Structures are given as structure tokens and as C-alpha cells.
Amino acid sequence: MTGNRPAPFTADDYRARMRRAARAAEDAGLAGLLVAPGPDLVWLTGYTPTAITERLTLLVLAAGQDPVLVVPALEAPDAAHAAGAPALTLRDWTDGKDPYAATASLLDGAGRFGVSDNAWALHLLALQQALPGASYVSLTEGLPMLRAVKDAAELAHLAAAGAAADATYEEIRKVPFGGRRESDVAGDLADLLRRFGHSQVDFTIVASGPNGANPHHEAGDRVIERGDMVVLDFGGLLHGYGSDTSRTVHVGEPDAEERRVHDVVREAQEAGFRAVRPGAACQDVDRAARAVITEAGYGEYFIHRTGHGIGVTTHEPPYMIEGEELPLVPGMCFSVEPGVYLPGRFGVRIEDIVTVTEEGGRRLNDTTRELVIVD
């Protein structure tokens, strides 16, 4: 760590990631990986194009070959300054030339390639024409664990992001809720996330009263009233890594059912956390949390998965959901966020980011999970 900031990643870090990815592709029977601008490219190279356009930018990775970044000539200077650039060979192309033919020359024309999920159809279709004997699979399907297991440096980044989100929650509890619009409180959340170091705010859900029954409610003009349950869900990127936490507060004293539902969700969140251990399946976390809510009689009102991975994006594999049998591995990071949503009335969600350790799980969010009363 440098002060409160995790140490930045070096060219050697990116070189190691690209080697690891190429080996994983080979082990999965893939001829290589084709990585377009997006989170996979950022994770592998540290490079984010200044403008993502119809011009092809593509990282080509294959075991036994040096990594090559195919890049438009006008963006090559920026690519050359990326943190991972010393580990790359840049192959630029100019307007009027065929970048797909240039890319094809780097590939085995009969191979099967992993392609980043967010590659443009425009580019993939053109590559298919240039390499009619090749086939393709999405990285989520072909290499679902590519970014799932974090190293110590990545965990430090995620811990710093979690601490900043916790500091944001401690401060938002002090602001007035009653008589203000949801959007006002959402603005406070965004300001606080930035104050505590976030460079990017991805979401600030403030869902009051009946709006709390919508898990992805967009903060709006509804005036928060005394007696409202309010779901807060907020996060973004700090030093390139994500935060994401949820707490549910109440304006004034809650009634007995509101307290009961909150207690059920808190117990479910604890059960999901306790299910985290190496070798357990992702679905075991979902099952543990869901069982508590179902036993309490609210099973039909828990309407989403228990969790999602987090890293250079705030939502990524792995997913804590029934049917996902991937085993938990030390270094995985994901949310544990059960909820109950009573249509027309209120909702409750409690969310922490958790990392898998050799012994079990470790939370990266440490604020109270008890029901907090706000003004």
C-alpha cells in the first residue's frame, strides 16, 4: 500500500496475467483469446481506449506467442503509454487498410478462440469472414474463472473500495431522510463516494417505502416519509476496482413486521456468509441464504440471485445462484445480498462483499447490519 492507496499494478503484473490467461485458454482447448475493449482488456493490459469506435482494437493471446495488441494507428500513442504496454507488441493499422486480415495472420485459421463478451458483432463477423475455418466461444462460457480469483494486490484494491463504501454509509446515516426526495439522498451518496476516493459512481439506489419492493429502483422524485423503510445500494470504482454494498434503514421507529423482515434478511445474509468456504459450490451460498427466508415464509419475495462477482467491474462472474456448481476458491470475491420485497409495501436488502479465504470467508464491508433508525 502507498498511504491509503493500494500500490499500482506494474507491467510485470500485466505480463503475468496475460501468461496466465494464455495458459488457461490452452488448458481449455482454445487456440487463443481475442480481447476487445472492456473489462477483460483493462484487467489484462491496463489499457482503456480513449474512444471505443468502429475501428478494431483487439488483444491477441495464445500460448507460446508474445501478446499482440492490434490497434488503430491514431490510438497507438495512447496504447503505448498503458501500464501493461511493455509486455505487449503493438501492431497498428491505418484507415483504408484491412485490420481483420492483419489479425487473421496472427491466428491459426482452424482454431477455436475465446472472445470477450463485449466484442462488437461488427468485428466478430468480419473476423469470421477472414477466418472461415475458425470458431468462437464467449469468455464467460469458455473461461468463466479468468478474472474470478484475485491475487493479493487485487484484494487490497477491493478492500480499499469496500472501506470507502463503508465510510460513505457511516456518513449517509447522519443526513436527513424524511421530507427529502430519493434523488437528493442519492446525490449525497454519490458525493460521499467521490469524497472517499471513488473515481466512478456506478449506482446509488435509494428506494423508499413501496419503491423498496423493486430491487433495481432508480432514485426518483418520491419524497421520503416518516415510517418508510429505505433500501440503500451503492457502489462504483476506486483505483479501478469495485465497491457494492446495501443496507436498509428506517425513518423513525419501525413496526413489528418491518423489524421481523429485516431480522430475517440479516439472518439470511449471515447464513450465506457462513456457507462461504473453499470447495463449496457457488449455489451453496444461494441455498443457505434462501433457506432462511423460505423457512420464515417469505421465499416467494426473494426474487434474485444471492450474489455476483466483483473486480474491475461491479458485476461479473462468479454468480451465487442455484445451478452454478463452480467451486469456491480462495481469492474469489462476490456479494452476498439476500432480500425480501413485499409489493406495494417495502423491501429489505443487506449486502456485503465477501472474499474466500483458506479458512472460510472474509467480509470486505464491516458496517452494522442491524436496522438503523434515521431522521
Side-chain angles (χ1 to χ4, degrees):
M1 302 279 284
T2 305
N4 291 325
R5 176 172 182 165
F9 298 114
T10 67
D12 285 341
D13 293 322
Y14 291 112
R15 184 178 287 107
R17 289 179 187 177
M18 286 187 278
R19 287 174 178 165
R20 173 177 141 197
R23 286 195 302 269
E26 186 176 31
D27 291 344
L30 300 175
L33 304 180
L34 307 176
V35 185
D40 292 315
L41 186 65
V42 172
W43 183 76
L44 287 163
T45 70
Y47 176 52
T48 301
T50 53
I52 299 175
T53 70
E54 73 284 356
R55 294 183 174 94
L56 179 71
T57 296
L58 200 69
L59 173 67
V60 178
L61 289 180
Q65 299 181 21
D66 291 335
V68 177
L69 182 66
V70 179
V71 62
L74 74 170
E75 296 182 13
D78 289 334
H81 286 93
L88 291 165
T89 297
L90 297 184
R91 178 171 293 189
D92 62 8
W93 62 276
T94 57
D95 287 348
K97 302 294 185 181
D98 184 351
Y100 307 105
T103 303
S105 69
L106 302 171
L107 305 174
D108 177 355
R112 185 168 183 258
F113 297 92
V115 181
S116 52
D117 296 2
N118 55 331
W120 283 22
L122 169 74
H123 300 315
L124 183 56
L125 291 170
L127 280 172
Q128 287 177 324
Q129 288 185 329
L131 288 171
S135 61
Y136 305 90
V137 62
S138 73
L139 287 190
T140 292
E141 180 181 349
L143 292 178
M145 298 283 283
L146 180 62
R147 292 188 281 121
V149 180
K150 275 64 179 179
D151 60 24
E154 290 183 285
L155 290 175
H157 279 72
L158 284 161
D166 282 358
T168 294
Y169 180 63
E170 295 294 353
E171 290 299 313
I172 202 67
R173 291 168 52 179
K174 302 173 185 177
V175 310
F177 278 70
R180 300 176 70 210
R181 296 175 300 176
E182 292 174 339
S183 57
D184 295 331
V185 178
D188 290 341
L189 280 170
D191 290 344
L192 287 166
L193 285 168
R194 294 188 182 97
R195 183 201 301 180
F196 291 113
H198 280 66
S199 60
Q200 177 176 314
V201 176
D202 286 344
F203 48 88
T204 52
I205 293 173
V206 179
S208 63
N211 289 341
N214 176 0
H216 282 172
H217 171 71
E218 293 282 347
D221 290 333
R222 184 182 187 274
V223 175
I224 301 170
E225 301 175 355
R226 188 167 187 82
D228 279 349
M229 195 79 90
V230 185
V231 178
L232 306 173
D233 186 345
F234 49 94
L237 297 182
L238 184 147
H239 307 313
Y241 278 73
S243 68
D244 186 1
T245 189
S246 301
R247 294 292 186 264
T248 302
V249 301
H250 198 277
V251 185
E253 286 297 321
D255 64 28
E257 185 181 19
E258 289 170 330
R259 282 194 179 277
R260 169 172 161 71
V261 172
H262 192 279
D263 284 345
V264 167
V265 174
R266 180 172 52 81
E267 291 166 10
Q269 207 272 344
E270 178 68 17
F273 169 68
R274 294 298 174 194
V276 175
R277 63 185 184 280
C282 291
Q283 67 181 3
D284 292 339
V285 179
D286 182 84
R287 288 174 174 178
R290 200 168 298 276
V292 173
I293 292 174
T294 299
E295 184 175 350
Y298 293 101
E300 66 182 292
Y301 303 112
F302 181 10
I303 56 177
H304 56 72
R305 65 197 175 200
T306 293
H308 58 82
I310 190 168
V312 294
T313 60
T314 50
H315 287 74
E316 62 185 46
Y319 299 105
M320 307 302 112
I321 189 171
E322 181 66 31
E324 180 51 84
E325 297 180 351
L326 276 174
L328 300 183
V329 176
M332 277 185 174
C333 286
F334 48 83
S335 66
V336 178
E337 51 176 307
V340 169
Y341 309 93
L342 302 179
R345 301 179 61 199
F346 65 89
V348 175
R349 181 164 64 257
I350 300 172
E351 173 185 16
D352 292 327
I353 298 302
V354 173
T355 184
V356 184
T357 69
E358 296 290 347
E359 294 76 32
R362 175 170 66 92
R363 285 185 166 106
L364 300 187
N365 296 107
D366 294 319
T367 56
T368 181
R369 284 164 284 279
E370 299 291 334
L371 182 58
V372 167
I373 310 302
V374 297
D375 293 330

